[in-house]
Every structure is written in structure tokens, then in C-alpha cells.
Amino acid sequence: MEMLLSRRGLVLSLILFLVKFSTAIEIPLSVQQVPTITKQSKAQVAFPFDEYFQLECEAKGNPEPTFTWTKDDKPFGFSDPRILVYNNSGTFRVPNDGHIAHFQGKYRCFAANKLGVAMSEEIEFIIPNVPKFPKEKIEPLEVEEGDPLVLPCGPPTGLAPLHIYWMNIELEHIEQDERVYMSQDGDLYFANVEERDSRSDYCCFAAFPRLRTIVQKMPMKLTVNSSNSIKQRKPRLLLPPAERGPQSPVTILRGDTLVLECFAEGLPTPQVDWKKVGGDLPKGRETKENYGKTLKIENVSFRDKGIYQCTATNFLGWATHDFQVIIEEPPRWKKKPQSGVYSTGGSGILLCEAEGEPQPTIKWRVNGLPMEKNPFADDVPFPREISFTNLQPNHSAVYQCEASNAHGTILASANVDVIDVHPLIQTEDGETYSVVVGARAFLHCEFFASPEAAVSWQKVEEVDPLEGERFHVHKNGTLQLNGATEEDAGQYSCWVVNAKGRAALTASLNVRNATKVRISPASPRVPTSHALELHCETWCDAHLKHSLRLSWSKDGEAFALNGTEDGRVTVDGGSLTISAVTLGDQGAYACSAQTELDSVAAATRVTVLDVPDPPEQLHLSEKQDRSVRLTWKAGDDHNSDISEYIVEFEGNKAEPGRWEELRRVRGQETTVVVPLAPYVTYQFRVMAVNEVGRSQPSRPSDRHETPPAAPDKNPQNIRVQASQPKEMIIKWEPLKSMEQNGPGLEYRVSWKPQGASVEWEEETVTNHTLRVMTPTVYAPYEVQVQATNSLGAGPEPQPVILYSGEDYPDTAPVIQRVDVINSTVVKVTWSTIPKDRVHGRLKGYQINWWKTKSLGDGRTHPKQVNILRFSGQRNYGMVPSLDAFSEFHMSILAYNSKGAGPESEPYTFQTPEGVPEQPTFLKVVKVDKDAATLSWGLPKQLNGNLTGYVLQYQIINDTDEIGELNDINITTPSKRSWHLSNLSAMTKYKFYVRACTAQGCGKPVTEEMTTTGAGSKSIGKIPEGVNVTRKMRPVEAFEPGAEPIVRLLTKSWVDNNSIFEDVIETRGREYAGLYDDIATQGWFIGLMCAIALLTLTLLTVCFVKRNKGGKYSVKEKEDLHPDPEGQSGKDETFGDYSDSDEKPLKGSLRSLTRDTQATGSADSLVEYAEGEQGLFGEDGSFIGAYTGSKEKGSAESNTSSSAAFPLRA
């Protein structure tokens, strides 16, 4: 919503413009005119603490006026040298030297020139005396208890206001109550004295705040003698005093506060009441103070005049007094004479009317002199007017009118200036005005002319004056242009013409685009605690952007520049953000855009959403055994319609105090019939839901109790649990407390064999379980459970089929054959057992196997049984994790929920050869500068007949450079050492040794060493990120700029020989040879030589330290030089396996290959011990679960550190 607000600049101009029209014509000072008083003092008080006293009188006129003063209607001169007079002014100053009493009086200022005399109002100069109590000796007062008493104060006269206090010598106020009262004159009245009124320091204090003075009367002593015969008496008025009679007049000025007081003595203390005779006390303006003794009426008017009566009463009588209230008023103007400019031959009239009470008298003066001395004989005076005709230039004068009554005098002056002059334009020529499209424009052409002049406006390029409803020329010459358009921009001229001549001016008008503003989002709806951000978008003329100011307000109240003090509301230019909205933030938000020409605002309504208030006035009606009507009154929805009501109840005997949901009702409804359960004491509550959330619960309803009844339902989830053969432990879900419907809940259990035409066996229990013994094992029975209570049975139950307890299977399956898949996996086939021999529900078959001997060395093994289970009715399974080249025994049995049956006869089978494990160790036993002797140990598991070894070695260094891989085949199985020659001196090597059978070679064991002596051969550098196996071309063989990439591929896991294929790609580099020119530069060659020398020195130091006994672990060496063969492989059957110790060094090569032995994956199956889920599919892969113990040697073999294949170059 966008709305145009008050255009501040235009409105201010319009207001000033209208004010000018409503005041007298302003005569330029360049034109001769009578004097006019422009400034004068009010009544002055000479306070003793002031430094000086100043009486002001300023006036204007042409010729410039001169000033004179009168004091008490007599001429006052400035003969006293202490008086300081200001130049060109009537103002004078009197210094306060302590001797100024003779200056007190009533002053009047006169300003005169040759055309007339202006006169100021009367200025009273007051020099107050310092108020003092008279010195007097006050005799002590002695009265009898119960007597009336008045302690007089008699304060001194002084400058009003006067405040009176009664206090003791310790400046503690004398307590006033119904019995004790201080009058407006300051006297202290006692209706009846008491002994406690005795004291010697009654002091009256008079304070004059304007004089900053407090004076004290001499202390008075009062003694109250106790009396045994206090006489009660009827009221008698002490205030007003009796000498005033039954009625006294009170005069008050209109608008003042009327104070009437009435105090009576008597015993008991009289009570005072007030009334207005023949009318009512003015409501809202009257108050009774001081225990009713004072009546105050504020801002009195003429309708408050009349008789007011006070009545003092006690049980012995009464006393009254009437106050005749008279309302009077000082003079005030009804019509004041107005100054005017007249031309020769003109005429006029001056009116002067005043009102007041009593009616003011009117007195005219001319140039400060009484009308009797009027120099103009043609004037026609009347009490309330003066008229004149055929004015001449010498008739210019100042006329004064005074209105007076008993309460004051007021003065009004009117200038009569007779002037003949051509138009004088007072607005500067060439002014430029600006306005926005659609607004009003005011082009000024203020002038003075006498006689009257005609004013016209026209566009400079046009001849005809501006006419039409859009243009209006005011009397002061201003052009008002309504609904400005862009075509209105341009130059304008103003012409002023009278009988004495003409004058003109030009002005320019610029028309700018109006400012526009919009707030987004429009009419937002925000939940409480959420954030709200309002944006104020503005469109402004480019010429006005420098003056554009934005401000925000809510419901008409402006926000501070930066928002609220608590920081919850922040204002940042065109954005207003409320961090956590509350209900109080709802309202109309406005963004105001103000420029130097216009002001516009856009407003939006922010609606704050909150959860509803809780429903109210819950009422129960239509009460039935199984239902009741619940009615409620909706609470405030907080600007979001209620979508539904949630009815909850409390009354569950099992969980008292817990509320549960009973029913949901549409938001348009406030009544619902709710279903009830028997034997429950209900209490309800309701919550309202809207889009924001759920309200707090309502106050609970009255309680409603339902009578008991038979159960409506039977137990559910009937099941059997048995631990012994032929046993049935029948269990069910018991009825909840709300479902029992009455006291004495029991369960009637019935059962019989399935399909048998026999009578039901039956038993009644109070808990939710029953043990029954049957004649047969695992036989089906029909079972039903019915709920009953003291009032009857539940509905007819539906039977369920349950089985009696199981027994162990009594026969064993038979292994028919064992098929060898490879050296570690076999497939077993067996015969199943008949269903009637299971004696329960068959869960599956269990295979037991154990190793009897190794075929390689013929060594027998102790019996260590491994177990593998296959669930369900099946007749085959895969057995993994077997040792290669070994003999095994295997048996099988069936099992059900009760347990396992008898075991079959053992079945014997053998596994073929596999590849051996890695040698147990590899050591360099002797090192020379060009030779080395190696020694290694037998593998812990040969897995077949050993056929020999493969020895490999290559050059490495401490970074990532490797050399060519060399192979040596050792065909003598018994040889476990080798002497290498023709090695490079002072070079580091890595050695690999693998054991082999007819099935292939196993994992290598590795070792590193550095030769002694001097000199070394150059080595090739393998690019970062490349793992190499078998032979590869040297780096130097690549084409210039080529980048070697190595990809490693594996064959099926069933091949015990891990075969990898090398795929080498070269990828040309676009910038090959970029640095060829650098290699020919002398500085570069010198730098490379220096680096080579430094490297050689560091290698020498490392070599010396190593030969002095420095060692590092094999693990550290493997981290530094990772094996080129990977430690893990992706196996299609056994999942992913990897060596967790393989950590690539920063900048080193990472192995991408996998294990070479199929048996290397077997250990990982231990984690599936006693599992029910198979690991192979129906295609013959492993599906069983593996458990049991392994031979020590096998376990050690499979958990040892894996070595990697060597790299070939």
C-alpha cells in the first residue's frame, strides 16, 4: 500500500503563506511610516539577588523613532547617572546597588517620529521589601482539655506566592487531622485540644520562594490541662468566623481555582460536608481536602457562581455557613483595532470592543494623547469605534484603545498610514523554484503598493497571462500552480501595476519526478520468535537523491535511527529487521522517504502469528454410559485459523495423571461427543492447533465416572513358549487398564488338538501365562483366550494354532561326496533327514571338520574341530579356509530349535598343493663394495613340495628413485643363501626372496642394504604415483615430454599364481622441452654441480653413520620404500581385505596390486563365527558361517606381515 503523506516543504510554505494573508500589510522600512512598538517588558520584579534590572522598549518606523518614558503618568528622565541607556532604543538598565527603592512605579514607553507616536502597555516595576514577622512577646497559652483553640500566624506581606508551615523547633511538621487544621491564612485551629497537644515550640514559618526567603514567628507555648469533666458540645464554626454572619461573599476570577474552607469546633470532632444550593458540585473539577474542610473547584467558569454551603455535624447538632461565589473576569478583546495602509482620499473605521466582568470601559488615544486632544477634527469618535474620511497624507497617526475594569487594563494600537507610492516588489528577482510532478508550486512576487495594485503572471515565451483552474494569483502576488507537470517547467514573469506605476520580476520553475516508495514483503505473516526483515525500495529523481532520507515508524511512532535500545529491532537505512518477533510487534509499519521537495511513505501491515490461547469454559452435557458431549469456548487464534482441536482425557487407573489423546475435532467446531469406556473416572482437556503449533492445554473439565461392564475384547498376540518336550507355555498380551471395563479381570484359556473332535480343556487364570503338558512332541493345538470380569465375559474368542514343545532330532544325515574347488575350498553334499525324525522345526545342518595331517611332511595334527552351519532345508554347502596339501575328516548333523541331533560318521578328504607362504626371514650376512651375501629361512607353511626360490633385487635410494629389477631363479630347494657380485659401490639395494611350489611362488620377504666403497651408477627416476610390476622400460626410454602411466590388472582369484599385466601409456606433454635453453646456460650448469656435490656429501655422511651400527626397523623401511606389490586384492567371494600397516610415505609410490595366494583371505572369515547368514550364493560359493579354532602355524602364517612384489625396470 502506497500513500502520499504531507509534503513537508509545501505544507510549511502554504502555512506561512496563509499567515501572511491573515496579518496586517507589512510596510517596507524604505517607505515612510508611523512608529510601531516591536518589543516591551512585562511587569518587572527587582529581586535582591539580581545584578541589574532592565526595562525594554523597541520600535520601528521611518523616520527612525525617538523614545521617551513616563513613570506614574509623569515624564521620566534619565538624569540618574546609574541608568544605562541603549543607543537607538528605548531600553534602559538600572544596576542593583541596594538603593533602588525610588525606581518603583508604573512605566510607559513612547516611540515618536514626525508621523505619529506609539505607546507601550503599562510596565510595573516592583521592588519588594524583605518580609519579617514583627518582634513580639507571645504569652504562653493554657487551656483545659476539650476546649477549642486558634493559634494565630499573621504572616508578613511579601511577593506571592506565600507558603505557610507549622513546625516545631526540630523542623518537624505539626500533624494535622480531622481535629487539627491550618487555614489558608495560616492560623492553626483545634476543634478540641488534648493533653498530647501540649508543647512549647509551636512555630509558624512563612516561605516566599520567589524571594528565596523563609521567616519564622516566635515559638508559642501551649499547655493543656487535663480535666475530669469534659463536656461534649455541638459544632460551632470557627472558620469563617462568627462575625461574618451566616453568609459571606467570595469573588474569584474566571479560570482560577476556587478554595472554600470551613472549620468547626465541638466535641466529638464535627464532620464537614459541602453542597451547592440549587445545583450540583461540578464533577471532575471539584475535590475535598483536609478531611473535607476544604472545597476546591478548578478552572471556574461563570456557571460555577452561586451559593455553596458547608455543614459541620456531630451527634449533638450541626452548624452551617453559606458562601456567595461571584465570578469576575479581567478585560479581554472581542474586537481589536487593525492597522491599515490608506491612499489619499480614502476612508476607514477602527473598531474596539472588549468584554469582562464587570464590563470594561473603553478609552481612545491618538499618538498617546487623550481623544480630547485629537488633532484630526474630521474624525468621528464613538465609544467602540472611530471613523475617518477623505484621508490626507498628514493624517498618518497611531491610535490606541484601552479597555479597563477593576481587574486590569489592556491596550491595543492601530497604525493609520496614508501613503501614495508605486509598486515595490520585495521578492528578489531571478529566484528558482522546484516542485515534483503532481504537487503544488508557489512562485512568490511579494510587493507593497498604495493605492492598490493589480498582479498578473505569464510565461516568458508567452504573451497572455496565465489563466485557468490550475493557476491562482493570491493578493500578495504569489502564483499558486496546482498539479505541476513537466510542461510547466520554464521562465515566468510577474507584473504589478497601480496608479503610481508598475514593477516586474522573473522566476524559474524546475519540475522533478515525484519520489516513490514500496515496502516488501507486502502484508507479511510471521510466527513469533521468527525473524522479520522489511525492505524499503525507493525511486527518486536524480536531482533529489542527495537530500533523500529514509525513516521507519510503527503505528505512527518513529523508530530511532538505529532501532530499539535492546537491539531486537535494527534499522539500517532501507532495511528494518526484527530478530525475534513478539505479539507486540504486530501493527502498521511505514517507510517514509523525504527529499527537499516531497515526502512520501509506504505502509504494510505486519501480522504476528502465534499458537492459539487455550480453549476455555469446558462443559460436559448429554452424559451417557458410553459417551458424553464436551463443549468449550475457543481462545484467541492469534491471527492463524484454528485447524483442529485435540481432546485428551485422564483417568487411566494404571497411570493416574497421564493424559492421552482421545479425539481430534475440526477447527470450526467447539463441541464433540466423545466415546467412553466403562469403569473409568474421566477428566478432559482440549488443545487448539493452528499453522504455528499447538496451544497449551485448557483447564481440566469436571470429572465424569462411567459404570462397569463386561469386557469388549479378548487378549491379542497369543503365542507359545516351551523349554521342554511336550510342554506348552501359553502367553498373551494382557488387557490394558482402559480395556478391562470392570473389576475382577480373569482370562479363560481353552485348548484341544488341532482338528480333533474332543471337548475343550479349560483353565481360568488372573495373570497372562499358562503352562500346559501335552502327550505328544511338537503337535499342533487350537488355543483360545477369553477375558472375563465380575460383570461377565468378553466376546467369543477366535482360536489360534500353537505347537507343543520340541525334542532333539534322533537321526543323522550322511555325507555323500566332497568336491575340491581349490587348495582351500571344498563343496560338500549330504542326504537330508526325514521330517518325522526332526521332532520340531528344522533350522538347518551343521558341518564339523578337523585337520588330521599335512601331506608334505606327513605330520599328524591333534583334533581341533571347526564348525560351519547352513540354515534351512538344503543338501550342500561350501567349506572355506582349509589348509592346502592336507588331509581332513568331516561329519554332519541336523539341528532344530531345541538343539542338535546325532553326528554322522566321519568322511575323509584331501586338499591339493598351493603356493607357499613367504620365507620366515631375509638377512644380508656380508656386504662389500660390489658384492653381498644373503640368507633366508624356510616358509612356515610350505603348502606343497618346495621346488626352489626366486631372488630379485634393484637399486633404491632414500627418496622415490628405483633402478632396474634383476631376477635369479634358485632351483635347489635346500639352498637358503646366495652371493651377489657386480654390485655398484656405495649404493642402496632392496632384495626380494620368494618360495615356490609346482603351483607357483608365494609372497616375498624383503631386505635393504647399502654397499661400501666409492663411485655409483646413475639411477632412473620413477614418476610420482606409479607402481611398477615385472619389466618396464627405463624412464630414459620415453619420448621427450612423455608421462609414464602404469595400470595393474589381475586375473581371477581361483588362479593361485597372481598374474599381473603391465599396461604402459605415454601421454605427450604440450610444453616438452620448455627448459631446454636453460640447460645450456653456464650459471645453470654451475648450480647443478654445486647441488650434486652437496648431495654426494650428505650420502657419505649417511653411509658412515649406517656402518657404525645405525638400525631402523623393517616396518620403518617398508614405510619408506613401499613394496611394488599390493598387500590386498578385491576378491569376488571373500570381500575386500587389505594390510592396515601399509602407509605410503609422502611422495612415495602406492601399491595397486593384490595378494598372490587364495588362502591368504581365509583368516578374515573368523569374524563370521557361529553366524546364521551364509556367505556364498546358490552357484556353489560359500554360504555357511565359520567358527572353531585354527592350527597355530596356520594362524601365524596368515597374520604375518605381507611382502610386496619387486619392481622391474
Side-chain angles (χ1 to χ4, degrees), residues 941-956:
Q941 288 289 337
L942 296 179
N943 293 333
N945 294 317
L946 199 62
T947 60
Y949 299 92
V950 173
L951 171 62
Q952 298 171 308
Y953 64 94
Q954 62 188 156
I955 296 174
I956 63 174

Side-chain angles (χ1 to χ4, degrees), residues 1053-1128:
W1053 67 275
V1054 297
D1055 187 354
N1056 287 329
N1057 293 317
S1058 297
I1059 300 173
F1060 294 85
E1061 295 177 0
D1062 301 342
V1063 179
I1064 302 178
E1065 298 178 357
T1066 60
R1067 185 166 59 198
R1069 292 184 177 176
E1070 184 179 352
Y1071 302 105
L1074 180 63
Y1075 302 103
D1076 289 349
D1077 293 341
I1078 299 178
T1080 63
Q1081 302 297 319
W1083 64 269
F1084 180 78
I1085 296 173
L1087 177 62
M1088 292 298 100
C1089 291
I1091 294 174
L1093 180 60
L1094 179 61
T1095 303
L1096 181 60
T1097 304
L1098 292 174
L1099 289 173
T1100 304
V1101 172
C1102 293
F1103 176 80
V1104 172
K1105 293 187 67 176
R1106 180 176 177 86
N1107 282 288
K1108 286 184 178 182
K1111 300 288 184 180
Y1112 57 92
S1113 67
V1114 174
K1115 182 67 176 69
E1116 291 171 341
K1117 291 188 288 183
E1118 290 180 352
D1119 286 345
L1120 184 61
H1121 303 291
D1123 296 331
E1125 179 183 359
Q1127 300 300 310
S1128 63

Side-chain angles (χ1 to χ4, degrees), residues 345-531:
S347 61
I349 186 170
L350 298 179
L351 301 177
C352 183
E353 293 184 23
E355 56 187 356
E357 187 64 35
Q359 178 63 38
T361 58
I362 302 297
K363 182 186 296 186
W364 285 94
R365 293 173 183 261
V366 180
N367 291 332
L369 298 176
M371 181 56 76
E372 294 77 18
K373 299 181 180 181
N374 184 4
F376 309 115
D378 294 336
D379 288 353
V380 181
F382 291 96
R384 290 181 173 81
E385 65 181 51
I386 291 180
S387 61
F388 37 78
T389 58
N390 193 23
L391 291 172
Q392 298 300 314
N394 63 353
H395 200 287
S396 294
V398 181
Y399 288 75
Q400 291 95 14
C401 176
E402 280 186 324
S404 305
N405 68 7
H407 303 293
T409 301
I410 54 176
L411 173 69
S413 297
N415 296 344
V416 175
D417 288 284
V418 183
I419 301 174
D420 293 304
V421 65
H422 66 79
L424 299 174
I425 295 180
Q426 296 171 267
T427 303
E428 288 193 18
D429 191 19
E431 289 282 351
T432 300
Y433 302 89
S434 296
V435 69
V436 296
V437 173
R440 292 178 179 178
F442 293 93
L443 280 63
H444 299 296
C445 183
E446 296 183 7
F447 69 94
F448 175 78
S450 181
E452 290 185 2
V455 182
S456 63
W457 281 85
Q458 64 187 52
K459 262 200 165 185
V460 170
E461 65 272 12
E462 297 177 3
V463 176
D464 297 330
L466 296 174
E467 294 179 349
E469 60 183 13
R470 292 180 56 235
F471 304 100
H472 176 67
V473 179
H474 292 276
K475 289 184 178 180
N476 70 342
T478 296
L479 171 66
Q480 177 180 326
L481 189 155
N482 299 317
T485 64
E486 293 182 356
E487 291 73 19
D488 292 328
Q491 296 282 329
Y492 290 80
S493 59
C494 169
W495 290 91
V496 184
V497 180
N498 72 354
K500 296 295 181 180
R502 65 172 55 197
L505 65 71
T506 59
S508 299
L509 178 64
N510 296 323
V511 180
R512 310 299 187 192
N513 291 323
T515 305
K516 298 180 180 179
V517 64
R518 184 180 68 188
I519 294 180
S520 62
S523 303
R525 295 166 58 85
V526 189
T528 55
S529 302
H530 284 57

